[in-house]
Tab-separated table of all heavy atoms in Angstrom:
chain	number	residue	atom	x	y	z
N	1	LEU	N	4.047	16.139	-1.399
N	1	LEU	CA	3.681	15.824	-2.776
N	1	LEU	C	2.172	15.946	-2.973
N	1	LEU	O	1.694	16.518	-3.965
N	1	LEU	CB	4.160	14.409	-3.100
N	1	LEU	CG	4.151	13.956	-4.551
N	1	LEU	CD1	5.082	14.806	-5.397
N	1	LEU	CD2	4.552	12.482	-4.638
N	2	HIS	N	1.420	15.433	-2.013
N	2	HIS	CA	-0.040	15.466	-2.112
N	2	HIS	C	-0.569	16.889	-2.024
N	2	HIS	O	-1.472	17.278	-2.786
N	2	HIS	CB	-0.648	14.601	-1.000
N	2	HIS	CG	-2.138	14.520	-1.048
N	2	HIS	ND1	-2.946	15.268	-0.209
N	2	HIS	CD2	-2.977	13.794	-1.838
N	2	HIS	CE1	-4.205	15.001	-0.470
N	2	HIS	NE2	-4.264	14.113	-1.457
N	3	GLU	N	-0.032	17.686	-1.121
N	3	GLU	CA	-0.519	19.059	-0.950
N	3	GLU	C	-0.282	19.898	-2.202
N	3	GLU	O	-1.100	20.752	-2.552
N	3	GLU	CB	0.164	19.714	0.258
N	3	GLU	CG	-0.330	19.175	1.592
N	3	GLU	CD	0.364	19.821	2.769
N	3	GLU	OE1	1.421	20.472	2.551
N	3	GLU	OE2	-0.118	19.664	3.906
N	4	ARG	N	0.802	19.633	-2.901
N	4	ARG	CA	1.142	20.457	-4.070
N	4	ARG	C	0.482	19.956	-5.356
N	4	ARG	O	0.077	20.772	-6.191
N	4	ARG	CB	2.658	20.510	-4.241
N	4	ARG	CG	3.114	21.465	-5.326
N	4	ARG	CD	4.596	21.725	-5.241
N	4	ARG	NE	5.029	22.665	-6.263
N	4	ARG	CZ	6.283	23.094	-6.415
N	4	ARG	NH1	7.234	22.684	-5.570
N	4	ARG	NH2	6.599	23.932	-7.380
N	5	PHE	N	0.370	18.636	-5.502
N	5	PHE	CA	-0.072	18.100	-6.795
N	5	PHE	C	-1.255	17.130	-6.720
N	5	PHE	O	-1.838	16.796	-7.748
N	5	PHE	CB	1.089	17.386	-7.497
N	5	PHE	CG	2.198	18.297	-7.913
N	5	PHE	CD1	3.389	18.319	-7.203
N	5	PHE	CD2	2.057	19.134	-9.006
N	5	PHE	CE1	4.429	19.157	-7.586
N	5	PHE	CE2	3.085	19.986	-9.395
N	5	PHE	CZ	4.274	19.998	-8.682
N	6	GLY	N	-1.608	16.636	-5.541
N	6	GLY	CA	-2.674	15.654	-5.444
N	6	GLY	C	-4.047	16.252	-5.710
N	6	GLY	O	-4.280	17.443	-5.484
N	7	THR	N	-4.965	15.400	-6.176
N	7	THR	CA	-6.337	15.852	-6.442
N	7	THR	C	-7.379	15.053	-5.674
N	7	THR	O	-8.493	15.535	-5.467
N	7	THR	CB	-6.658	15.756	-7.947
N	7	THR	OG1	-6.621	14.391	-8.365
N	7	THR	CG2	-5.660	16.563	-8.767
N	8	LEU	N	-7.063	13.840	-5.256
N	8	LEU	CA	-7.981	13.019	-4.475
N	8	LEU	C	-7.539	13.005	-3.016
N	8	LEU	O	-6.372	13.235	-2.704
N	8	LEU	CB	-8.017	11.589	-5.025
N	8	LEU	CG	-8.424	11.429	-6.497
N	8	LEU	CD1	-8.441	9.952	-6.884
N	8	LEU	CD2	-9.780	12.064	-6.769
N	9	SER	N	-8.450	12.700	-2.110
N	9	SER	CA	-8.145	12.725	-0.683
N	9	SER	C	-7.213	11.576	-0.306
N	9	SER	O	-7.182	10.531	-0.965
N	9	SER	CB	-9.429	12.613	0.136
N	9	SER	OG	-9.989	11.312	-0.005
N	10	LEU	N	-6.464	11.780	0.771
N	10	LEU	CA	-5.628	10.694	1.278
N	10	LEU	C	-6.467	9.511	1.723
N	10	LEU	O	-6.033	8.360	1.609
N	10	LEU	CB	-4.756	11.192	2.430
N	10	LEU	CG	-3.586	12.104	2.071
N	10	LEU	CD1	-2.853	12.540	3.327
N	10	LEU	CD2	-2.630	11.430	1.095
N	11	GLU	N	-7.669	9.774	2.244
N	11	GLU	CA	-8.550	8.664	2.615
N	11	GLU	C	-8.819	7.770	1.410
N	11	GLU	O	-8.800	6.537	1.529
N	11	GLU	CB	-9.869	9.180	3.187
N	11	GLU	CG	-9.765	9.731	4.600
N	11	GLU	CD	-9.453	11.214	4.628
N	11	GLU	OE1	-9.014	11.770	3.586
N	11	GLU	OE2	-9.652	11.824	5.688
N	12	ARG	N	-9.062	8.372	0.252
N	12	ARG	CA	-9.266	7.560	-0.959
N	12	ARG	C	-7.964	6.880	-1.390
N	12	ARG	O	-7.958	5.688	-1.732
N	12	ARG	CB	-9.785	8.435	-2.107
N	12	ARG	CG	-9.710	7.770	-3.493
N	12	ARG	CD	-10.512	6.467	-3.562
N	12	ARG	NE	-10.235	5.696	-4.760
N	12	ARG	CZ	-9.347	4.721	-4.845
N	12	ARG	NH1	-8.589	4.409	-3.780
N	12	ARG	NH2	-9.183	4.051	-5.958
N	13	LEU	N	-6.860	7.601	-1.349
N	13	LEU	CA	-5.607	7.054	-1.860
N	13	LEU	C	-5.066	5.920	-0.992
N	13	LEU	O	-4.417	5.008	-1.498
N	13	LEU	CB	-4.568	8.171	-1.981
N	13	LEU	CG	-4.948	9.328	-2.921
N	13	LEU	CD1	-3.822	10.331	-3.008
N	13	LEU	CD2	-5.314	8.806	-4.305
N	14	PHE	N	-5.332	5.969	0.302
N	14	PHE	CA	-4.848	4.920	1.206
N	14	PHE	C	-5.850	3.781	1.384
N	14	PHE	O	-5.597	2.838	2.125
N	14	PHE	CB	-4.535	5.513	2.581
N	14	PHE	CG	-3.299	6.384	2.632
N	14	PHE	CD1	-2.607	6.730	1.479
N	14	PHE	CD2	-2.838	6.865	3.846
N	14	PHE	CE1	-1.482	7.534	1.535
N	14	PHE	CE2	-1.711	7.669	3.916
N	14	PHE	CZ	-1.034	8.011	2.759
N	15	ARG	N	-6.980	3.877	0.733
N	15	ARG	CA	-8.063	2.911	0.980
N	15	ARG	C	-7.623	1.470	0.747
N	15	ARG	O	-7.863	0.592	1.590
N	15	ARG	CB	-9.258	3.244	0.081
N	15	ARG	CG	-10.497	2.396	0.366
N	15	ARG	CD	-11.658	2.879	-0.490
N	15	ARG	NE	-11.441	2.621	-1.910
N	15	ARG	CZ	-12.128	3.194	-2.895
N	15	ARG	NH1	-13.066	4.100	-2.607
N	15	ARG	NH2	-11.896	2.893	-4.152
N	16	ASP	N	-6.985	1.182	-0.370
N	16	ASP	CA	-6.568	-0.193	-0.652
N	16	ASP	C	-5.515	-0.659	0.349
N	16	ASP	O	-5.558	-1.793	0.834
N	16	ASP	CB	-6.012	-0.298	-2.076
N	16	ASP	CG	-7.092	-0.206	-3.132
N	16	ASP	OD1	-8.291	-0.250	-2.771
N	16	ASP	OD2	-6.748	-0.081	-4.320
N	17	ALA	N	-4.541	0.203	0.649
N	17	ALA	CA	-3.482	-0.178	1.577
N	17	ALA	C	-4.056	-0.522	2.951
N	17	ALA	O	-3.656	-1.522	3.577
N	17	ALA	CB	-2.459	0.953	1.704
N	18	ILE	N	-4.987	0.285	3.413
N	18	ILE	CA	-5.605	0.030	4.726
N	18	ILE	C	-6.380	-1.277	4.696
N	18	ILE	O	-6.306	-2.082	5.641
N	18	ILE	CB	-6.509	1.204	5.121
N	18	ILE	CG1	-5.657	2.472	5.359
N	18	ILE	CG2	-7.326	0.880	6.358
N	18	ILE	CD1	-6.465	3.747	5.446
N	19	ALA	N	-7.085	-1.531	3.606
N	19	ALA	CA	-7.854	-2.779	3.502
N	19	ALA	C	-6.934	-3.996	3.483
N	19	ALA	O	-7.216	-5.003	4.151
N	19	ALA	CB	-8.722	-2.748	2.250
N	20	TYR	N	-5.846	-3.934	2.738
N	20	TYR	CA	-4.917	-5.067	2.700
N	20	TYR	C	-4.271	-5.289	4.065
N	20	TYR	O	-4.036	-6.426	4.485
N	20	TYR	CB	-3.836	-4.837	1.641
N	20	TYR	CG	-4.338	-4.908	0.230
N	20	TYR	CD1	-3.990	-3.927	-0.701
N	20	TYR	CD2	-5.167	-5.942	-0.193
N	20	TYR	CE1	-4.450	-3.978	-2.004
N	20	TYR	CE2	-5.638	-5.999	-1.495
N	20	TYR	CZ	-5.275	-5.018	-2.404
N	20	TYR	OH	-5.730	-5.076	-3.693
N	21	ALA	N	-3.963	-4.200	4.764
N	21	ALA	CA	-3.353	-4.341	6.084
N	21	ALA	C	-4.318	-4.978	7.073
N	21	ALA	O	-3.923	-5.850	7.863
N	21	ALA	CB	-2.895	-2.976	6.597
N	22	ARG	N	-5.579	-4.587	7.029
N	22	ARG	CA	-6.558	-5.086	7.999
N	22	ARG	C	-7.132	-6.444	7.618
N	22	ARG	O	-7.323	-7.318	8.480
N	22	ARG	CB	-7.680	-4.065	8.157
N	22	ARG	CG	-7.239	-2.796	8.886
N	22	ARG	CD	-8.322	-1.736	8.875
N	22	ARG	NE	-7.990	-0.621	9.782
N	22	ARG	CZ	-8.667	0.518	9.845
N	22	ARG	NH1	-9.730	0.701	9.066
N	22	ARG	NH2	-8.304	1.459	10.700
N	23	ASP	N	-7.428	-6.641	6.330
N	23	ASP	CA	-8.087	-7.871	5.886
N	23	ASP	C	-7.113	-8.941	5.423
N	23	ASP	O	-7.469	-10.117	5.335
N	23	ASP	CB	-9.063	-7.565	4.738
N	23	ASP	CG	-10.132	-6.564	5.148
N	23	ASP	OD1	-10.430	-6.480	6.353
N	23	ASP	OD2	-10.652	-5.858	4.266
N	24	GLY	N	-5.896	-8.548	5.084
N	24	GLY	CA	-4.885	-9.502	4.666
N	24	GLY	C	-4.643	-9.475	3.172
N	24	GLY	O	-5.449	-8.990	2.382
N	25	PHE	N	-3.491	-10.007	2.778
N	25	PHE	CA	-3.069	-10.057	1.387
N	25	PHE	C	-2.273	-11.342	1.180
N	25	PHE	O	-1.741	-11.930	2.127
N	25	PHE	CB	-2.201	-8.841	1.036
N	25	PHE	CG	-0.961	-8.709	1.895
N	25	PHE	CD1	0.253	-9.258	1.498
N	25	PHE	CD2	-1.020	-8.062	3.123
N	25	PHE	CE1	1.386	-9.144	2.295
N	25	PHE	CE2	0.107	-7.949	3.938
N	25	PHE	CZ	1.302	-8.492	3.521
N	26	ALA	N	-2.193	-11.761	-0.059
N	26	ALA	CA	-1.398	-12.947	-0.383
N	26	ALA	C	0.079	-12.574	-0.434
N	26	ALA	O	0.469	-11.627	-1.118
N	26	ALA	CB	-1.836	-13.518	-1.729
N	27	VAL	N	0.907	-13.329	0.273
N	27	VAL	CA	2.352	-13.096	0.264
N	27	VAL	C	2.930	-13.666	-1.030
N	27	VAL	O	2.822	-14.862	-1.293
N	27	VAL	CB	3.021	-13.751	1.493
N	27	VAL	CG1	4.532	-13.570	1.429
N	27	VAL	CG2	2.451	-13.168	2.786
N	28	HIS	N	3.535	-12.805	-1.839
N	28	HIS	CA	4.092	-13.241	-3.110
N	28	HIS	C	5.484	-13.844	-2.926
N	28	HIS	O	6.115	-13.685	-1.878
N	28	HIS	CB	4.129	-12.068	-4.085
N	28	HIS	CG	2.797	-11.757	-4.693
N	28	HIS	ND1	2.629	-11.458	-6.018
N	28	HIS	CD2	1.547	-11.710	-4.151
N	28	HIS	CE1	1.358	-11.238	-6.279
N	28	HIS	NE2	0.684	-11.380	-5.154
N	29	HIS	N	5.968	-14.515	-3.970
N	29	HIS	CA	7.165	-15.347	-3.817
N	29	HIS	C	8.417	-14.531	-3.498
N	29	HIS	O	9.169	-14.889	-2.585
N	29	HIS	CB	7.372	-16.174	-5.085
N	29	HIS	CG	6.391	-17.298	-5.214
N	29	HIS	ND1	6.565	-18.519	-4.597
N	29	HIS	CD2	5.194	-17.381	-5.848
N	29	HIS	CE1	5.534	-19.305	-4.863
N	29	HIS	NE2	4.683	-18.639	-5.622
N	30	ARG	N	8.678	-13.458	-4.241
N	30	ARG	CA	9.872	-12.668	-3.951
N	30	ARG	C	9.740	-11.984	-2.597
N	30	ARG	O	10.710	-11.871	-1.837
N	30	ARG	CB	10.117	-11.638	-5.057
N	30	ARG	CG	11.310	-10.718	-4.805
N	30	ARG	CD	12.620	-11.480	-4.609
N	30	ARG	NE	13.655	-10.639	-4.052
N	30	ARG	CZ	14.537	-9.950	-4.771
N	30	ARG	NH1	14.487	-9.996	-6.089
N	30	ARG	NH2	15.450	-9.216	-4.169
N	31	VAL	N	8.536	-11.531	-2.279
N	31	VAL	CA	8.291	-10.924	-0.964
N	31	VAL	C	8.598	-11.928	0.144
N	31	VAL	O	9.238	-11.594	1.147
N	31	VAL	CB	6.839	-10.427	-0.866
N	31	VAL	CG1	6.496	-10.006	0.561
N	31	VAL	CG2	6.607	-9.248	-1.824
N	32	ALA	N	8.143	-13.172	-0.038
N	32	ALA	CA	8.386	-14.211	0.971
N	32	ALA	C	9.871	-14.468	1.160
N	32	ALA	O	10.361	-14.652	2.288
N	32	ALA	CB	7.666	-15.499	0.575
N	33	LEU	N	10.629	-14.477	0.057
N	33	LEU	CA	12.070	-14.698	0.143
N	33	LEU	C	12.745	-13.576	0.917
N	33	LEU	O	13.552	-13.828	1.836
N	33	LEU	CB	12.653	-14.797	-1.270
N	33	LEU	CG	14.179	-14.905	-1.360
N	33	LEU	CD1	14.671	-16.168	-0.670
N	33	LEU	CD2	14.630	-14.881	-2.822
N	34	ASP	N	12.436	-12.340	0.585
N	34	ASP	CA	13.045	-11.205	1.283
N	34	ASP	C	12.640	-11.178	2.753
N	34	ASP	O	13.450	-10.842	3.629
N	34	ASP	CB	12.632	-9.898	0.606
N	34	ASP	CG	13.173	-9.787	-0.815
N	34	ASP	OD1	14.276	-10.294	-1.065
N	34	ASP	OD2	12.485	-9.194	-1.663
N	35	TRP	N	11.407	-11.531	3.038
N	35	TRP	CA	10.896	-11.561	4.419
N	35	TRP	C	11.674	-12.597	5.239
N	35	TRP	O	12.083	-12.334	6.378
N	35	TRP	CB	9.417	-11.920	4.378
N	35	TRP	CG	8.564	-11.386	5.490
N	35	TRP	CD1	8.875	-11.294	6.817
N	35	TRP	CD2	7.220	-10.890	5.362
N	35	TRP	NE1	7.813	-10.784	7.524
N	35	TRP	CE2	6.792	-10.529	6.660
N	35	TRP	CE3	6.343	-10.747	4.301
N	35	TRP	CZ2	5.507	-10.028	6.903
N	35	TRP	CZ3	5.082	-10.236	4.538
N	35	TRP	CH2	4.669	-9.878	5.820
N	36	SER	N	11.880	-13.761	4.644
N	36	SER	CA	12.533	-14.854	5.375
N	36	SER	C	13.966	-14.503	5.758
N	36	SER	O	14.473	-14.957	6.785
N	36	SER	CB	12.517	-16.134	4.533
N	36	SER	OG	13.341	-16.019	3.385
N	37	ARG	N	14.623	-13.687	4.950
N	37	ARG	CA	16.025	-13.330	5.224
N	37	ARG	C	16.148	-12.412	6.439
N	37	ARG	O	17.232	-12.295	7.013
N	37	ARG	CB	16.625	-12.657	3.998
N	37	ARG	CG	16.799	-13.619	2.820
N	37	ARG	CD	16.927	-12.883	1.496
N	37	ARG	NE	18.155	-12.125	1.390
N	37	ARG	CZ	19.282	-12.576	0.859
N	37	ARG	NH1	19.345	-13.813	0.395
N	37	ARG	NH2	20.351	-11.814	0.771
């Protein structure tokens, strides 16, 4: 999808995801419920 239609680099597009994975994120309520199961 990125090779055919993307315009920004994957480094830019993954930046937030990488930061949340490394620095942490708040676990939301529905996410917590699904995780617990």
Side-chain angles (χ1 to χ4, degrees):
L1 192 62
H2 182 259
E3 287 179 345
R4 187 167 181 179
F5 293 105
T7 64
L8 302 181
S9 69
L10 287 178
E11 286 90 344
R12 166 59 192 94
L13 300 183
F14 288 7
R15 186 175 68 196
D16 287 350
I18 294 167
Y20 290 133
R22 290 173 170 171
D23 301 334
F25 58 93
V27 177
H28 282 223
H29 287 276
R30 177 57 194 268
V31 171
L33 175 62
D34 295 327
W35 209 320
S36 68
R37 291 160 68 92

